[in-house]
Amino acid sequence: MRPPRIAVLDGLRLLAALSVVLFHYLAGSGTVPWQRTAVELFPRLHRVAGFGWLGVVFFFMISGFVICMSGWGKSLQQFWQGRILRLFPLYWAAVVLSSAAARLGPPLPGEPRVTVGQMLTNLTMLQEPLGVNGVDNVYWTLWVELRFYLVFSLVVLLGTSRRRVANFCWIWALGSVLAPESGIPLMDQLLVPRWAPFFIAGIAFHLVRRAGRIEGETLGILGLSWLLMQHRLPAIMEGEGHGINWKVCLAAITVMYVLMGLIALGRLDRIQWRWLPVAGAISYPLYLVHQSLGVRVIWHRNEQWGAWPTLLGVIAGAVLIAWLLHRLAERPLTRLLRRMLTHRAERPQQRTP
């Protein structure tokens, strides 16, 4: 049985995606594509866009909530089938589109050429552990997501229950503290200590949703995740090159906790705007293609079109491409992949004589 859709999460996904778009177009280190500086062209918006990377944090928190919700009561096969169907069809389309743009479109200064082998390796979504550059820089978050799915698979395998999920959160939180000092690279990779607090918070918020209230243990998990988050935040900001105000980032993430708490308690269930499902559907493809395509257009056209027309036009174009990918690529590819997975699962095992 499919869990009920929480419409407001769709809107928040799109908001998070758009914040990342603005960050890459106006503030991202090494990605700002304007002939003149974005500080000069967009002095006020540039300062706001500098915090747009926090959209990734919100994605991870929402992912913890949604994965716990969608994996509840599922078998391990059902869980991974759902994840494959959700992630890969759009991702494959995005990799091919971004690779084609890099190979056939006008180059960016200092841009390395995308090879066929690089594109094919990217199709596995395992390019980072294989030591291959991503066709698009944003793909690094997908490797983080895959590791989250892998560790959460343990709960799904044992069978989801409130007790098991709560224990999982406590153990993962402790493991994320111990992993960097363990000297075991595999443990550090699996437990993703830098991002674990956000996933744990999302999972805890789903426990609140299921209970209909904030219970003492769940409040403890949320409090621990917040404390670990604020401890990790300076390293995240330094490691990702975000030299901006720590206090503002901490306040923004705390607001995310409050928003997720309101969602978990059902306070925002009345928000049922008709466009929200579409917003949720285009957020993932928008995230996947906005940088590889948008940065290229901005660099080669902003002097001709002007700053604001270029920015607004490229964002509108990225949203349109995201919608087209959802309609023309995700739907048919998902149907095809579902038939293949279902056929494989239902195929009778041949007995050996």
Side-chain angles (χ1 to χ4, degrees):
M1 180 176 170
R2 179 176 295 182
R5 193 177 190 93
I6 302 174
V8 71
L9 283 177
D10 290 324
L12 291 176
R13 281 196 189 101
L14 182 60
L15 180 63
L18 287 172
S19 72
V20 175
V21 169
L22 285 177
F23 174 76
H24 284 146
Y25 288 173
L26 299 177
S29 176
T31 64
V32 179
W34 304 89
Q35 303 285 359
R36 292 186 288 167
T37 65
V39 179
E40 178 186 357
L41 295 171
F42 309 96
R44 294 182 180 178
L45 187 58
H46 168 77
R47 289 196 294 271
V48 176
F51 297 92
W53 67 274
L54 290 169
V56 170
V57 168
F58 210 7
F59 271 130
F60 289 156
M61 198 178 297
I62 292 172
S63 179
F65 185 100
V66 171
I67 296 309
C68 186
M69 178 174 64
S70 61
W72 202 280
K74 300 286 182 63
S75 68
L76 189 61
Q77 179 181 346
Q78 291 171 327
F79 172 73
W80 274 102
Q81 181 173 313
R83 291 301 86 211
I84 290 170
L85 290 173
R86 171 59 182 152
L87 286 187
F88 277 92
L90 264 174
Y91 175 73
W92 289 332
V95 169
V96 172
L97 182 60
S98 297
S99 299
R103 289 181 64 86
L104 304 177
L108 293 171
E111 180 185 38
R113 182 174 176 81
V114 174
T115 66
V116 174
Q118 181 185 357
M119 182 193 74
L120 294 175
T121 304
N122 271 247
L123 291 175
T124 67
M125 210 180 283
L126 299 174
Q127 63 274 6
E128 187 169 331
L130 290 173
V132 176
N133 290 332
V135 170
D136 193 306
N137 291 335
V138 302
Y139 296 167
W140 70 268
T141 59
L142 300 178
W143 174 233
V144 176
E145 285 278 345
L146 284 177
R147 285 180 283 171
F148 165 47
Y149 301 161
L150 189 60
V151 294
F152 192 74
S153 292
L154 179 61
V155 183
V156 177
L157 181 64
L158 295 175
T160 46
S161 69
R162 184 202 167 280
R163 179 74 271 142
R164 288 193 179 109
V165 171
N167 287 343
F168 169 79
C169 290
W170 290 119
I171 294 170
W172 191 10
L174 177 61
S176 72
V177 173
L178 298 176
E181 306 302 325
S182 68
I184 305 174
L186 180 60
M187 186 175 177
D188 197 47
Q189 279 288 315
L190 281 177
L191 298 183
V192 282
R194 177 170 292 186
W195 306 107
F198 307 110
F199 292 114
I200 292 169
I203 294 170
F205 280 122
H206 181 64
L207 291 179
V208 173
R209 179 80 180 188
R210 293 189 69 85
R213 65 186 187 279
I214 301 179
E215 299 173 324
E217 183 179 24
T218 312
L219 182 61
I221 294 171
L222 288 169
L224 178 59
S225 77
W226 189 92
L227 291 172
L228 291 177
M229 173 275 295
Q230 64 82 31
H231 173 71
R232 298 286 185 197
L233 188 56
I236 292 173
M237 293 171 62
E238 181 181 356
E240 303 301 322
H242 308 316
I244 51 181
N245 192 294
W246 174 82
K247 292 181 180 178
V248 175
C249 290
L250 182 63
I253 296 174
T254 303
V255 170
M256 296 176 194
Y257 271 72
V258 173
L259 273 174
M260 292 301 295
L262 292 173
I263 292 169
L265 292 169
R267 299 292 190 269
L268 302 182
D269 286 357
R270 293 183 179 180
I271 300 177
Q272 295 289 335
W273 301 325
R274 301 170 80 179
W275 56 270
L276 287 175
V278 178
I282 67 173
S283 59
Y284 180 43
L286 175 63
Y287 179 79
L288 289 177
V289 302
H290 75 273
Q291 184 169 319
S292 58
L293 302 184
V295 166
R296 196 174 308 278
V297 174
I298 291 172
W299 176 261
H300 289 284
R301 290 290 180 263
N302 73 89
E303 288 293 316
Q304 300 173 19
W305 297 350
W308 277 102
T310 300
L311 178 64
L312 296 176
V314 168
I315 292 175
V319 170
L320 176 60
I321 291 172
W323 181 80
L324 290 173
L325 283 172
H326 165 63
R327 298 280 297 191
L328 303 180
E330 181 182 25
R331 288 185 175 182
L333 285 175
T334 300
R335 285 195 295 267
L336 176 62
L337 187 57
R338 180 179 287 111
R339 284 198 298 268
M340 292 172 62
L341 292 173
T342 303
H343 176 73
R344 181 179 179 85
E346 294 178 351
R347 187 172 55 190
Q349 297 292 328
Q350 294 183 355
R351 295 183 180 181
T352 304

PDB file of all heavy atoms in Angstrom, residues 3 5 7 31 36 59 61 136-137 153 155 157 169-170 197 209 226 281 284 286 296 298 301 307 325 332 350:
ATOM      1  N   PRO A   3       2.093   4.928   0.719  1.00  0.00           N
ATOM      2  CA  PRO A   3       1.784   5.896   1.771  1.00  0.00           C
ATOM      3  C   PRO A   3       1.154   7.151   1.185  1.00  0.00           C
ATOM      4  O   PRO A   3       1.400   7.496   0.027  1.00  0.00           O
ATOM      5  CB  PRO A   3       3.164   6.191   2.377  1.00  0.00           C
ATOM      6  CG  PRO A   3       4.148   5.825   1.315  1.00  0.00           C
ATOM      7  CD  PRO A   3       3.527   4.684   0.569  1.00  0.00           C
ATOM      8  N   ARG A   5       0.424  10.841   0.026  1.00  0.00           N
ATOM      9  CA  ARG A   5       1.341  11.879  -0.423  1.00  0.00           C
ATOM     10  C   ARG A   5       1.179  13.122   0.441  1.00  0.00           C
ATOM     11  O   ARG A   5       0.055  13.547   0.721  1.00  0.00           O
ATOM     12  CB  ARG A   5       1.068  12.212  -1.892  1.00  0.00           C
ATOM     13  CG  ARG A   5       2.161  13.048  -2.532  1.00  0.00           C
ATOM     14  CD  ARG A   5       1.871  13.298  -4.006  1.00  0.00           C
ATOM     15  NE  ARG A   5       3.011  13.890  -4.668  1.00  0.00           N
ATOM     16  CZ  ARG A   5       3.949  13.210  -5.301  1.00  0.00           C
ATOM     17  NH1 ARG A   5       3.867  11.892  -5.361  1.00  0.00           N
ATOM     18  NH2 ARG A   5       4.963  13.817  -5.890  1.00  0.00           N
ATOM     19  N   ALA A   7       1.609  16.792   0.240  1.00  0.00           N
ATOM     20  CA  ALA A   7       1.772  17.728  -0.870  1.00  0.00           C
ATOM     21  C   ALA A   7       2.807  18.800  -0.582  1.00  0.00           C
ATOM     22  O   ALA A   7       3.575  19.193  -1.473  1.00  0.00           O
ATOM     23  CB  ALA A   7       0.423  18.369  -1.206  1.00  0.00           C
ATOM     24  N   THR A  31      31.832  27.741 -10.278  1.00  0.00           N
ATOM     25  CA  THR A  31      30.759  27.493 -11.227  1.00  0.00           C
ATOM     26  C   THR A  31      30.092  28.778 -11.730  1.00  0.00           C
ATOM     27  O   THR A  31      29.265  28.710 -12.617  1.00  0.00           O
ATOM     28  CB  THR A  31      29.658  26.621 -10.598  1.00  0.00           C
ATOM     29  OG1 THR A  31      29.063  27.344  -9.497  1.00  0.00           O
ATOM     30  CG2 THR A  31      30.221  25.311 -10.077  1.00  0.00           C
ATOM     31  N   ARG A  36      31.294  39.034 -16.309  1.00  0.00           N
ATOM     32  CA  ARG A  36      31.644  39.889 -15.187  1.00  0.00           C
ATOM     33  C   ARG A  36      31.248  39.177 -13.900  1.00  0.00           C
ATOM     34  O   ARG A  36      30.573  38.163 -13.924  1.00  0.00           O
ATOM     35  CB  ARG A  36      30.923  41.242 -15.292  1.00  0.00           C
ATOM     36  CG  ARG A  36      31.418  42.098 -16.457  1.00  0.00           C
ATOM     37  CD  ARG A  36      30.773  43.462 -16.413  1.00  0.00           C
ATOM     38  NE  ARG A  36      29.358  43.397 -16.786  1.00  0.00           N
ATOM     39  CZ  ARG A  36      28.493  44.397 -16.597  1.00  0.00           C
ATOM     40  NH1 ARG A  36      28.899  45.493 -15.977  1.00  0.00           N
ATOM     41  NH2 ARG A  36      27.244  44.286 -16.986  1.00  0.00           N
ATOM     42  N   PHE A  59      17.288  18.744   1.136  1.00  0.00           N
ATOM     43  CA  PHE A  59      17.047  17.521   0.366  1.00  0.00           C
ATOM     44  C   PHE A  59      17.341  16.287   1.213  1.00  0.00           C
ATOM     45  O   PHE A  59      16.574  15.324   1.226  1.00  0.00           O
ATOM     46  CB  PHE A  59      17.934  17.478  -0.881  1.00  0.00           C
ATOM     47  CG  PHE A  59      17.339  18.131  -2.096  1.00  0.00           C
ATOM     48  CD1 PHE A  59      18.070  19.056  -2.838  1.00  0.00           C
ATOM     49  CD2 PHE A  59      16.063  17.818  -2.522  1.00  0.00           C
ATOM     50  CE1 PHE A  59      17.536  19.660  -3.964  1.00  0.00           C
ATOM     51  CE2 PHE A  59      15.514  18.410  -3.653  1.00  0.00           C
ATOM     52  CZ  PHE A  59      16.255  19.328  -4.371  1.00  0.00           C
ATOM     53  N   MET A  61      17.407  15.986   4.483  1.00  0.00           N
ATOM     54  CA  MET A  61      16.450  15.852   5.576  1.00  0.00           C
ATOM     55  C   MET A  61      15.114  15.307   5.067  1.00  0.00           C
ATOM     56  O   MET A  61      14.527  14.404   5.663  1.00  0.00           O
ATOM     57  CB  MET A  61      16.244  17.215   6.257  1.00  0.00           C
ATOM     58  CG  MET A  61      15.625  17.114   7.649  1.00  0.00           C
ATOM     59  SD  MET A  61      15.436  18.737   8.447  1.00  0.00           S
ATOM     60  CE  MET A  61      17.140  19.253   8.567  1.00  0.00           C
ATOM     61  N   ASP A 136      28.382  15.831 -14.383  1.00  0.00           N
ATOM     62  CA  ASP A 136      27.927  17.069 -13.758  1.00  0.00           C
ATOM     63  C   ASP A 136      28.351  17.032 -12.299  1.00  0.00           C
ATOM     64  O   ASP A 136      28.262  15.990 -11.640  1.00  0.00           O
ATOM     65  CB  ASP A 136      26.402  17.195 -13.865  1.00  0.00           C
ATOM     66  CG  ASP A 136      25.896  18.586 -13.530  1.00  0.00           C
ATOM     67  OD1 ASP A 136      26.226  19.075 -12.433  1.00  0.00           O
ATOM     68  OD2 ASP A 136      25.170  19.177 -14.341  1.00  0.00           O
ATOM     69  N   ASN A 137      28.777  18.170 -11.772  1.00  0.00           N
ATOM     70  CA  ASN A 137      29.274  18.207 -10.393  1.00  0.00           C
ATOM     71  C   ASN A 137      28.207  17.876  -9.354  1.00  0.00           C
ATOM     72  O   ASN A 137      28.534  17.458  -8.237  1.00  0.00           O
ATOM     73  CB  ASN A 137      29.850  19.596 -10.086  1.00  0.00           C
ATOM     74  CG  ASN A 137      31.123  19.882 -10.845  1.00  0.00           C
ATOM     75  OD1 ASN A 137      31.843  18.960 -11.231  1.00  0.00           O
ATOM     76  ND2 ASN A 137      31.417  21.150 -11.083  1.00  0.00           N
ATOM     77  N   SER A 153      18.870  -0.067   4.491  1.00  0.00           N
ATOM     78  CA  SER A 153      18.438  -1.406   4.063  1.00  0.00           C
ATOM     79  C   SER A 153      18.462  -2.400   5.205  1.00  0.00           C
ATOM     80  O   SER A 153      17.701  -3.374   5.205  1.00  0.00           O
ATOM     81  CB  SER A 153      19.339  -1.916   2.930  1.00  0.00           C
ATOM     82  OG  SER A 153      19.155  -1.171   1.754  1.00  0.00           O
ATOM     83  N   VAL A 155      17.481  -1.892   8.271  1.00  0.00           N
ATOM     84  CA  VAL A 155      16.183  -1.805   8.949  1.00  0.00           C
ATOM     85  C   VAL A 155      15.116  -2.503   8.120  1.00  0.00           C
ATOM     86  O   VAL A 155      14.279  -3.238   8.648  1.00  0.00           O
ATOM     87  CB  VAL A 155      15.797  -0.340   9.194  1.00  0.00           C
ATOM     88  CG1 VAL A 155      14.473  -0.244   9.957  1.00  0.00           C
ATOM     89  CG2 VAL A 155      16.887   0.395   9.953  1.00  0.00           C
ATOM     90  N   LEU A 157      15.494  -4.873   5.963  1.00  0.00           N
ATOM     91  CA  LEU A 157      15.735  -6.315   5.976  1.00  0.00           C
ATOM     92  C   LEU A 157      15.200  -6.956   7.259  1.00  0.00           C
ATOM     93  O   LEU A 157      14.582  -8.033   7.226  1.00  0.00           O
ATOM     94  CB  LEU A 157      17.230  -6.585   5.837  1.00  0.00           C
ATOM     95  CG  LEU A 157      17.668  -8.051   5.808  1.00  0.00           C
ATOM     96  CD1 LEU A 157      17.091  -8.752   4.582  1.00  0.00           C
ATOM     97  CD2 LEU A 157      19.189  -8.135   5.796  1.00  0.00           C
ATOM     98  N   CYS A 169      18.480   4.883  14.440  1.00  0.00           N
ATOM     99  CA  CYS A 169      18.889   6.291  14.533  1.00  0.00           C
ATOM    100  C   CYS A 169      19.963   6.479  15.609  1.00  0.00           C
ATOM    101  O   CYS A 169      20.963   7.177  15.378  1.00  0.00           O
ATOM    102  CB  CYS A 169      17.686   7.176  14.840  1.00  0.00           C
ATOM    103  SG  CYS A 169      16.505   7.329  13.487  1.00  0.00           S
ATOM    104  N   TRP A 170      19.763   5.874  16.778  1.00  0.00           N
ATOM    105  CA  TRP A 170      20.763   5.988  17.847  1.00  0.00           C
ATOM    106  C   TRP A 170      22.096   5.391  17.429  1.00  0.00           C
ATOM    107  O   TRP A 170      23.164   6.002  17.623  1.00  0.00           O
ATOM    108  CB  TRP A 170      20.275   5.273  19.112  1.00  0.00           C
ATOM    109  CG  TRP A 170      19.129   5.910  19.833  1.00  0.00           C
ATOM    110  CD1 TRP A 170      17.903   5.362  20.055  1.00  0.00           C
ATOM    111  CD2 TRP A 170      19.101   7.193  20.467  1.00  0.00           C
ATOM    112  NE1 TRP A 170      17.097   6.224  20.773  1.00  0.00           N
ATOM    113  CE2 TRP A 170      17.810   7.363  21.040  1.00  0.00           C
ATOM    114  CE3 TRP A 170      20.020   8.230  20.601  1.00  0.00           C
ATOM    115  CZ2 TRP A 170      17.436   8.505  21.739  1.00  0.00           C
ATOM    116  CZ3 TRP A 170      19.651   9.377  21.291  1.00  0.00           C
ATOM    117  CH2 TRP A 170      18.382   9.515  21.851  1.00  0.00           C
ATOM    118  N   PRO A 197      23.534  13.454  10.286  1.00  0.00           N
ATOM    119  CA  PRO A 197      22.539  14.112  11.149  1.00  0.00           C
ATOM    120  C   PRO A 197      21.276  14.545  10.420  1.00  0.00           C
ATOM    121  O   PRO A 197      20.182  14.525  11.001  1.00  0.00           O
ATOM    122  CB  PRO A 197      23.307  15.320  11.707  1.00  0.00           C
ATOM    123  CG  PRO A 197      24.738  14.916  11.660  1.00  0.00           C
ATOM    124  CD  PRO A 197      24.868  14.071  10.423  1.00  0.00           C
ATOM    125  N   ARG A 209       5.521  11.663  12.714  1.00  0.00           N
ATOM    126  CA  ARG A 209       4.346  11.600  11.833  1.00  0.00           C
ATOM    127  C   ARG A 209       3.521  10.350  12.131  1.00  0.00           C
ATOM    128  O   ARG A 209       2.285  10.408  12.208  1.00  0.00           O
ATOM    129  CB  ARG A 209       4.798  11.606  10.377  1.00  0.00           C
ATOM    130  CG  ARG A 209       3.677  11.528   9.340  1.00  0.00           C
ATOM    131  CD  ARG A 209       3.037  12.870   9.122  1.00  0.00           C
ATOM    132  NE  ARG A 209       1.971  12.809   8.125  1.00  0.00           N
ATOM    133  CZ  ARG A 209       1.353  13.876   7.633  1.00  0.00           C
ATOM    134  NH1 ARG A 209       1.695  15.089   8.028  1.00  0.00           N
ATOM    135  NH2 ARG A 209       0.391  13.744   6.751  1.00  0.00           N
ATOM    136  N   TRP A 226      20.445  17.492  15.962  1.00  0.00           N
ATOM    137  CA  TRP A 226      20.697  18.941  15.861  1.00  0.00           C
ATOM    138  C   TRP A 226      22.068  19.287  16.435  1.00  0.00           C
ATOM    139  O   TRP A 226      22.816  20.072  15.849  1.00  0.00           O
ATOM    140  CB  TRP A 226      19.606  19.714  16.593  1.00  0.00           C
ATOM    141  CG  TRP A 226      19.666  21.201  16.357  1.00  0.00           C
ATOM    142  CD1 TRP A 226      19.015  21.917  15.386  1.00  0.00           C
ATOM    143  CD2 TRP A 226      20.437  22.163  17.098  1.00  0.00           C
ATOM    144  NE1 TRP A 226      19.333  23.250  15.483  1.00  0.00           N
ATOM    145  CE2 TRP A 226      20.205  23.429  16.525  1.00  0.00           C
ATOM    146  CE3 TRP A 226      21.286  22.072  18.195  1.00  0.00           C
ATOM    147  CZ2 TRP A 226      20.789  24.595  17.012  1.00  0.00           C
ATOM    148  CZ3 TRP A 226      21.896  23.236  18.679  1.00  0.00           C
ATOM    149  CH2 TRP A 226      21.639  24.470  18.092  1.00  0.00           C
ATOM    150  N   ALA A 281       7.513  16.719  -9.019  1.00  0.00           N
ATOM    151  CA  ALA A 281       7.965  15.902 -10.152  1.00  0.00           C
ATOM    152  C   ALA A 281       9.156  16.517 -10.877  1.00  0.00           C
ATOM    153  O   ALA A 281      10.028  15.794 -11.373  1.00  0.00           O
ATOM    154  CB  ALA A 281       6.808  15.685 -11.127  1.00  0.00           C
ATOM    155  N   TYR A 284      13.604  16.967  -9.073  1.00  0.00           N
ATOM    156  CA  TYR A 284      14.753  16.081  -9.294  1.00  0.00           C
ATOM    157  C   TYR A 284      15.410  16.323 -10.654  1.00  0.00           C
ATOM    158  O   TYR A 284      16.642  16.531 -10.718  1.00  0.00           O
ATOM    159  CB  TYR A 284      14.315  14.630  -9.121  1.00  0.00           C
ATOM    160  CG  TYR A 284      15.389  13.589  -9.311  1.00  0.00           C
ATOM    161  CD1 TYR A 284      16.661  13.757  -8.775  1.00  0.00           C
ATOM    162  CD2 TYR A 284      15.131  12.417 -10.020  1.00  0.00           C
ATOM    163  CE1 TYR A 284      17.643  12.782  -8.943  1.00  0.00           C
ATOM    164  CE2 TYR A 284      16.095  11.442 -10.188  1.00  0.00           C
ATOM    165  CZ  TYR A 284      17.354  11.632  -9.653  1.00  0.00           C
ATOM    166  OH  TYR A 284      18.325  10.665  -9.831  1.00  0.00           O
ATOM    167  N   LEU A 286      15.268  19.003 -12.450  1.00  0.00           N
ATOM    168  CA  LEU A 286      15.826  20.360 -12.418  1.00  0.00           C
ATOM    169  C   LEU A 286      17.183  20.345 -11.724  1.00  0.00           C
ATOM    170  O   LEU A 286      18.142  20.974 -12.205  1.00  0.00           O
ATOM    171  CB  LEU A 286      14.863  21.301 -11.692  1.00  0.00           C
ATOM    172  CG  LEU A 286      15.352  22.741 -11.475  1.00  0.00           C
ATOM    173  CD1 LEU A 286      15.575  23.438 -12.806  1.00  0.00           C
ATOM    174  CD2 LEU A 286      14.358  23.523 -10.620  1.00  0.00           C
ATOM    175  N   ARG A 296      26.406  26.762 -19.156  1.00  0.00           N
ATOM    176  CA  ARG A 296      26.923  26.879 -20.522  1.00  0.00           C
ATOM    177  C   ARG A 296      26.214  28.015 -21.284  1.00  0.00           C
ATOM    178  O   ARG A 296      26.849  28.820 -21.968  1.00  0.00           O
ATOM    179  CB  ARG A 296      26.710  25.547 -21.256  1.00  0.00           C
ATOM    180  CG  ARG A 296      27.510  25.362 -22.522  1.00  0.00           C
ATOM    181  CD  ARG A 296      27.314  23.950 -23.064  1.00  0.00           C
ATOM    182  NE  ARG A 296      27.577  22.954 -22.024  1.00  0.00           N
ATOM    183  CZ  ARG A 296      28.800  22.544 -21.698  1.00  0.00           C
ATOM    184  NH1 ARG A 296      29.846  23.020 -22.340  1.00  0.00           N
ATOM    185  NH2 ARG A 296      28.956  21.641 -20.753  1.00  0.00           N
ATOM    186  N   ILE A 298      24.578  30.602 -19.948  1.00  0.00           N
ATOM    187  CA  ILE A 298      24.895  31.897 -19.335  1.00  0.00           C
ATOM    188  C   ILE A 298      26.251  32.414 -19.808  1.00  0.00           C
ATOM    189  O   ILE A 298      26.401  33.583 -20.172  1.00  0.00           O
ATOM    190  CB  ILE A 298      24.869  31.777 -17.798  1.00  0.00           C
ATOM    191  CG1 ILE A 298      23.433  31.564 -17.299  1.00  0.00           C
ATOM    192  CG2 ILE A 298      25.458  33.028 -17.148  1.00  0.00           C
ATOM    193  CD1 ILE A 298      23.317  31.252 -15.835  1.00  0.00           C
ATOM    194  N   ARG A 301      26.018  33.581 -23.542  1.00  0.00           N
ATOM    195  CA  ARG A 301      24.957  34.473 -24.003  1.00  0.00           C
ATOM    196  C   ARG A 301      24.702  35.680 -23.105  1.00  0.00           C
ATOM    197  O   ARG A 301      23.973  36.580 -23.491  1.00  0.00           O
ATOM    198  CB  ARG A 301      23.642  33.687 -24.136  1.00  0.00           C
ATOM    199  CG  ARG A 301      23.634  32.685 -25.285  1.00  0.00           C
ATOM    200  CD  ARG A 301      23.608  33.404 -26.629  1.00  0.00           C
ATOM    201  NE  ARG A 301      23.594  32.459 -27.737  1.00  0.00           N
ATOM    202  CZ  ARG A 301      24.674  32.079 -28.399  1.00  0.00           C
ATOM    203  NH1 ARG A 301      25.862  32.581 -28.065  1.00  0.00           N
ATOM    204  NH2 ARG A 301      24.589  31.220 -29.401  1.00  0.00           N
ATOM    205  N   ALA A 307      22.108  40.790 -18.102  1.00  0.00           N
ATOM    206  CA  ALA A 307      22.197  39.958 -16.906  1.00  0.00           C
ATOM    207  C   ALA A 307      20.854  39.389 -16.472  1.00  0.00           C
ATOM    208  O   ALA A 307      20.684  38.166 -16.374  1.00  0.00           O
ATOM    209  CB  ALA A 307      22.828  40.770 -15.764  1.00  0.00           C
ATOM    210  N   LEU A 325      11.741  16.408 -19.386  1.00  0.00           N
ATOM    211  CA  LEU A 325      12.391  15.165 -18.978  1.00  0.00           C
ATOM    212  C   LEU A 325      11.436  14.288 -18.173  1.00  0.00           C
ATOM    213  O   LEU A 325      11.407  13.066 -18.337  1.00  0.00           O
ATOM    214  CB  LEU A 325      13.644  15.463 -18.153  1.00  0.00           C
ATOM    215  CG  LEU A 325      14.887  15.912 -18.920  1.00  0.00           C
ATOM    216  CD1 LEU A 325      15.985  16.347 -17.951  1.00  0.00           C
ATOM    217  CD2 LEU A 325      15.402  14.803 -19.828  1.00  0.00           C
ATOM    218  N   PRO A 332       8.143   7.092 -19.630  1.00  0.00           N
ATOM    219  CA  PRO A 332       8.310   5.854 -20.434  1.00  0.00           C
ATOM    220  C   PRO A 332       9.440   4.967 -19.930  1.00  0.00           C
ATOM    221  O   PRO A 332       9.315   3.735 -19.924  1.00  0.00           O
ATOM    222  CB  PRO A 332       8.585   6.375 -21.847  1.00  0.00           C
ATOM    223  CG  PRO A 332       9.026   7.790 -21.673  1.00  0.00           C
ATOM    224  CD  PRO A 332       8.329   8.301 -20.469  1.00  0.00           C
ATOM    225  N   GLN A 350      13.878 -22.058 -12.745  1.00  0.00           N
ATOM    226  CA  GLN A 350      14.018 -23.344 -13.425  1.00  0.00           C
ATOM    227  C   GLN A 350      14.733 -24.335 -12.510  1.00  0.00           C
ATOM    228  O   GLN A 350      15.762 -24.029 -11.919  1.00  0.00           O
ATOM    229  CB  GLN A 350      14.828 -23.166 -14.724  1.00  0.00           C
ATOM    230  CG  GLN A 350      14.102 -22.305 -15.761  1.00  0.00           C
ATOM    231  CD  GLN A 350      14.905 -22.214 -17.044  1.00  0.00           C
ATOM    232  OE1 GLN A 350      16.012 -22.700 -17.121  1.00  0.00           O
ATOM    233  NE2 GLN A 350      14.292 -21.625 -18.044  1.00  0.00           N
TER     234      GLN A 350
END
